[in-house]
Amino acid sequence: GGMRLGIAVVYMVSERNERLLDLHLSQIEKNTTLPYTIYAAVNRLLPQFREKLEANPRVKICPCETYVPGSGLLKHERERAAVKGTVHQDCKYEHSWYLEQLIRMAVDDGVTHIALFHVDSFPVRSGWDQELISQLSGRCVLAGAVRDAKKDCKPLTAGMLFSREFYLTYQPRLLPTEEEMGSSDYARYRQACPHCGDSGAGYGFRMFMEGLTWHPLVRSNLGGRHALFGTVHGDMIFHLTTAAVIDQQNMVGWTVRPSQRKGLVGAMARVGKILLPGMLRREVRSRASKHLTRRCQADDRQQWERERELLLEDPERYLADLRTGAQSERPSASCCGAVEIPRPARQPERTVVD
């Protein structure tokens, strides 16, 4: 038999993001050229969305063991959680818990390659799957979106692809264990590849230890967008970022009620804390806090809203604009360009870890 792709996705969507779910499914269908199945975890999904996935012939709903809140936390996080409450860290453990089960099921099903997306990420270029598979050869075992090749050098679960051989041979885990993180090997890894410890770091560590390399998909969008908003990686994978977190924290999609607006700066700082690694975070936060404070005082709700609407109303145009930078002629763009992560001059060939 030829190549067969298994796409693993953990679905958590609020009522308000139904169109995002539709867009995610349609972009995968439109741009994927290999035969594929989406392996879906739906433990946290609303019933009406579950029915939508059940009706999609490309989707296989996987019975996953339910995550016990707090069970993934590391010792120091448990201690801190006892004082402060757990929700922020816990979402990465919950997400990985389901993804690990989906990857195993896809491998057991006989797929030749596994891809990972989030509900708010999807391919934007036709043939992305074969193009990424063509990057895998010899010691290069994985292709993955990367937030910042210098400061957060690890593949992200919002866009990753690897072969079943890599998985079966090396048995990587998305999150390193507490024991691994305390080891001198991990200290060497952290020094060679500075990164924040969210999902994907365990794959990075395994590749580092085995002397393997991976192909990074760096930020490629030319459109000046908010750093915590839409990013295109390798001109191939779009990631909206924070949709699931914002849904989980009940900040309704991207809207803020007037009564919540004061809290937006704090909420953005929290979202930034979850999503951005330390070094990047300080840079972005110092630039963003003045801007956010100012924008919250003005009625900034419309801006967030407009940005999300641009994507959902006319995805083709929005994504084309984001990829080519054409939208800079639009008046609404100027207010979204404050936090711009510097764009690397060109796509690096690959990250060598040794």
Side-chain angles (χ1 to χ4, degrees):
M3 292 192 284
R4 202 153 69 75
L5 180 66
I7 299 175
V9 187
V10 180
Y11 287 97
M12 301 187 206
V13 193
S14 73
E15 271 105 337
R16 201 157 168 277
N17 277 323
E18 180 166 11
R19 283 183 301 169
L20 185 59
L21 174 63
D22 291 340
L23 180 59
H24 158 94
L25 292 168
S26 68
Q27 287 284 326
I28 290 176
E29 187 170 358
K30 190 172 84 177
N31 292 311
T32 307
T33 48
L34 290 172
Y36 74 92
T37 303
I38 295 176
Y39 293 82
V42 297
N43 299 50
R44 290 278 303 274
L45 195 63
L46 297 168
Q48 68 266 35
F49 295 151
R50 192 191 163 120
E51 284 158 25
K52 179 177 291 229
L53 290 178
E54 279 167 350
N56 187 319
R58 295 287 202 172
V59 176
K60 181 172 181 173
I61 294 196
C62 300
C64 289
E65 229 178 286
T66 300
Y67 178 73
V68 177
S71 61
L73 296 176
L74 303 178
K75 190 162 171 282
H76 70 278
E77 291 167 332
R78 279 200 301 275
E79 287 159 4
R80 203 167 52 205
V83 185
K84 288 189 169 177
T86 70
V87 66
H88 300 308
Q89 272 109 4
D90 210 31
C91 52
K92 76 175 177 187
Y93 296 110
E94 179 178 21
H95 192 243
S96 296
W97 165 264
Y98 289 120
L99 265 185
E100 295 285 11
Q101 296 180 67
L102 296 174
I103 294 167
R104 278 197 300 275
M105 288 177 206
V107 168
D108 290 345
D109 243 7
V111 302
T112 58
H113 294 83
I114 294 104
L116 310 180
F117 286 112
H118 293 178
V119 70
D120 60 357
S121 71
F122 44 77
V124 292
R125 185 155 97 211
S126 180
W128 68 278
D129 45 346
Q130 305 217 42
E131 214 173 313
L132 289 185
I133 288 169
S134 74
Q135 298 289 345
L136 310 181
S137 61
R139 290 170 63 224
C140 181
V141 292
L142 178 146
V146 64
R147 209 180 269 127
D148 180 307
K150 287 197 180 70
K151 296 176 180 176
D152 188 16
C153 183
K154 61 145 201 307
L156 298 171
T157 53
M160 200 193 285
L161 184 144
F162 52 91
S163 69
R164 73 180 282 116
E165 288 76 34
F166 167 66
Y167 183 78
L168 290 171
T169 307
Y170 299 103
Q171 312 211 314
R173 296 165 45 105
L174 294 167
L175 287 166
T177 62
E178 190 142 23
E179 201 177 357
E180 282 173 335
M181 287 175 84
S183 68
S184 58
D185 283 335
Y186 202 86
R188 282 193 308 127
Y189 168 55
R190 197 179 267 126
Q191 199 171 1
C193 312
H195 63 278
C196 59
D198 42 348
S199 231
Y203 273 48
F205 179 53
R206 176 64 65 240
M207 291 186 286
F208 174 77
M209 289 304 293
E210 303 291 347
L212 302 167
T213 68
W214 57 286
H215 176 74
L217 300 169
V218 297
R219 178 188 170 101
S220 61
N221 48 302
L222 303 164
R225 296 280 175 204
H226 198 287
L228 296 178
F229 201 70
T231 304
V232 179
H233 296 274
D235 196 33
M236 214 179 280
I237 289 167
F238 170 79
H239 186 203
L240 180 64
T241 330
T242 77
V245 176
I246 283 179
D247 277 353
Q248 246 184 351
Q249 317 285 329
N250 290 324
M251 288 164 62
V252 195
W254 289 90
T255 29
V256 200
R257 289 189 293 281
S259 61
Q260 288 177 309
R261 199 162 301 131
K262 269 202 191 69
L264 183 69
V265 175
M268 283 304 293
R270 281 199 302 279
V271 167
K273 221 175 187 157
I274 302 163
L275 292 159
L276 291 173
M279 288 173 281
L280 248 181
R281 196 191 306 158
R282 283 190 291 278
E283 237 170 83
V284 167
R285 201 190 291 151
S286 60
R287 268 185 283 168
S289 57
K290 292 192 213 55
H291 181 67
L292 279 169
T293 311
R294 209 168 50 238
R295 276 181 52 194
C296 295
Q297 285 159 355
D299 189 356
D300 141 294
R301 168 178 170 165
Q302 280 101 330
Q303 293 305 346
W304 283 113
E305 198 58 25
R306 192 173 308 152
E307 202 58 20
R308 186 177 163 283
E309 283 304 310
L310 282 175
L311 169 66
L312 295 175
E313 288 301 331
D314 190 352
E316 292 302 315
R317 179 174 171 196
Y318 176 89
L319 293 168
D321 285 355
L322 192 60
R323 286 168 69 186
T324 62
Q327 104 294 336
S328 53
E329 293 133 41
R330 258 196 221 152
S332 69
S334 59
C335 53
C336 307
V339 189
E340 178 66 321
I341 292 179
R343 192 173 114 257
R346 61 186 183 85
Q347 180 80 16
E349 285 306 278
R350 40 185 72 139
T351 304
V352 180
V353 233
D354 47 34

